[in-house]
């Protein structure tokens, strides 16, 4: 049997890149690739080509490795174990489970992020970008849904832009007694340059610089743990915009996968375009179920 047939047979049985590289190196040293035995430059060139042709997979890379830093229990700068009259304690790095109960938050904050309804895209200014008839109908459905959930809402905060304000006012009709507040920080904007980039929307760098700081400020104002003085769980509604909600939701690393809750029978819709662009259309959508049928077991 010739050497080339033997090499082919070995690679066919082994199927491994290590065997292929070893055999290729052996063949190269014997001159089967046509070079002289002393031609080291050519030999390593062939060897590099063979290495580049092999997949990058290794047993170690089969399991995804964490990409970020270890979890920061003081991400919102409100961890009682790290604070003492405004000063950092020496024991701030200890296991949070060992901290004293004094001053520790006991209540849970529930934040419901609502995107404004459909609006008039042809409006020249914000005041003209009011809800369409369909948009007003959408807001009615959202208000009814929130009311049907039977939760005790503490506040309804909305962006000061016309479409979010109108959406919030329609929703509030279904939630009598819930305080209604407006906030400029929640206005739509460009929080951070997207990856991959898009061609239909290209804000100037200064817009990212200004909007990003503002939306980050909104995140810090509204997305945090309860104050230690809060005794009962709270339910807050925030009516704002798609970019703001996207930024709020994406403010955690891939290691946060276990922090995503999914209702039984819910629908998560992922699209992957021919270009490779990926979009999350819905995440755990269960709005088609009656509130008393919702479970998460």
């Amino acid at each position: 049997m010739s050497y080339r047939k033997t090499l082919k047979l070995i690679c066919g049985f082994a199927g491994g890149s290590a065997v292929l590289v070893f055999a290729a190196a052996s063949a190269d040293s014997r001159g089967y690739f046509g070079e002289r035995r002393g031609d080291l430059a050519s030999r390593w060139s062939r060897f590099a080509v063979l290495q580049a042709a092999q997949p990058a997979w290794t047993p170690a890379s089969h399991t995804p490795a964490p990409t970020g830093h270890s979890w920061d229990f003081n991400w919102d700068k409100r961890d009682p174990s790290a604070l003492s009259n405004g000063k950092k304690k020496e024991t701030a790095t200890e296991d949070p489970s060992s901290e004293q109960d004094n001053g520790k938050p006991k209540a849970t904050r529930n934040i419901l992020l609502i995107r404004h309804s459909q609006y008039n895209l042809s409006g020249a200014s914000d005041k003209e970008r009011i809800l369409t008839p369909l948009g007003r109908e959408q807001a009615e459905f959202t208000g009814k849904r929130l009311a049907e959930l039977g939760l005790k809402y503490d506040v309804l905060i909305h962006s000061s832009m016309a479409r979010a304000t109108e959406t919030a006012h329609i929703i509030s009709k279904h939630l009598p007694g819930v305080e209604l507040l407006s906030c400029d920080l929640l206005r739509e904007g460009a929080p951070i340059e997207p990856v991959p980039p898009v061609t239909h929307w290209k804000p100037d760098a200064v817009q990212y610089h200004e909007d990003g700081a503002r939306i980050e400020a909104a995140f810090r104002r509204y997305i945090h743990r309860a104050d230690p003085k809060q005794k009962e769980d709270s339910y807050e509604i925030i009516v704002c915009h798609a970019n703001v909600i996207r930024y709020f939701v994406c403010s955690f690393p891939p290691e946060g996968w276990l922090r995503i809750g999914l209702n039984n029978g819910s629908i998560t819709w992922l699209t992957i375009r021919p270009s490779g662009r990926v979009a999350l259309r819905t995440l755990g959508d269960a709005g088609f179920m009656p509130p008393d049928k919702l479970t998460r077991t």
Side-chain angles (χ1 to χ4, degrees):
M1 183 181 295
S2 69
Y3 187 85
R4 292 185 182 276
K5 289 183 178 180
T6 303
L7 174 60
K8 184 177 181 180
L9 183 62
I10 292 174
C11 292
F13 279 120
S17 56
V19 174
L20 177 60
V21 172
F22 175 80
S26 176
D28 189 25
S29 66
R30 297 167 184 240
Y32 284 98
F33 284 139
E35 296 90 0
R36 296 190 306 274
R37 292 175 59 91
D39 193 350
L40 292 176
S42 179
R43 180 181 305 172
W44 284 109
S45 175
R46 296 283 188 179
F47 190 72
V49 169
L50 284 169
Q51 283 184 310
Q54 303 309 304
W57 183 92
T58 63
S61 65
H62 189 63
T63 301
T67 59
H69 301 288
S70 59
W71 174 247
D72 179 12
F73 282 92
N74 195 28
W75 62 271
D76 59 355
K77 308 307 176 187
R78 297 167 186 253
D79 184 358
S81 66
L83 297 173
S84 178
N85 296 324
K87 296 181 180 179
K88 185 176 181 180
K89 289 184 178 180
E90 295 180 357
T91 59
T93 58
E94 295 180 357
D95 186 344
S97 61
S98 65
E99 67 180 272
Q100 295 183 353
D101 193 56
N102 296 333
K104 182 179 179 180
K106 300 177 180 61
T108 298
R109 296 182 65 227
N110 296 273
I111 304 170
L112 290 82
L113 300 170
I114 310 296
R115 186 190 181 190
H116 61 76
S117 302
Q118 186 190 71
Y119 68 102
N120 174 29
L121 290 171
S122 61
S125 65
D126 178 57
K127 292 183 178 180
E128 297 176 355
R129 293 169 187 166
I130 58 176
L131 299 186
T132 63
L134 175 57
R136 290 191 290 273
E137 187 177 1
Q138 291 171 339
E140 294 283 357
F141 277 119
T142 304
K144 291 178 182 178
R145 173 65 175 175
L146 291 170
E148 289 172 351
L149 290 176
L151 302 174
K152 184 181 178 182
Y153 301 108
D154 297 88
V155 65
L156 197 168
I157 308 167
H158 62 85
S159 158
S160 57
M161 299 186 81
R163 53 190 182 272
T165 299
E166 189 176 359
T167 300
H169 278 270
I170 293 175
I171 290 174
S172 69
K173 294 189 302 181
H174 299 273
L175 306 173
V178 178
E179 184 180 12
L180 194 63
L181 299 175
S182 177
C183 179
D184 286 334
L185 292 179
L186 294 168
R187 295 172 70 88
E188 184 63 300
I192 190 171
E193 191 169 354
V195 177
V198 294
T199 57
H200 63 279
W201 185 65
K202 291 185 177 181
D204 295 331
V206 67
Q207 185 174 352
Y208 286 120
H209 181 69
E210 294 177 352
D211 289 354
R214 173 177 54 77
I215 296 173
E216 172 64 20
F219 175 83
R220 298 188 184 192
R221 172 177 291 187
Y222 296 113
I223 313 299
H224 57 77
R225 76 192 74 191
D227 188 275
K229 297 179 181 179
Q230 182 176 323
K231 303 303 180 184
E232 298 181 357
D233 293 353
S234 59
Y235 295 86
E236 305 162 45
I237 302 171
I238 297 179
V239 180
C240 52
H241 308 267
N243 290 352
V244 177
I245 295 174
R246 291 164 178 154
Y247 182 80
F248 283 6
V249 171
C250 287
S251 292
F252 60 88
E255 292 81 4
W257 62 271
L258 198 55
R259 286 177 265 152
I260 299 175
L262 299 173
N263 286 322
N264 297 118
S266 64
I267 298 173
T268 294
W269 184 354
L270 189 71
T271 62
I272 304 177
R273 305 295 184 189
S275 64
R277 185 180 299 277
V278 181
L280 184 61
R281 299 290 297 273
T282 63
L283 176 63
D285 177 23
F288 51 88
M289 294 188 186
D292 61 345
K293 302 298 181 183
L294 296 175
T295 61
R296 193 185 301 169
T297 56

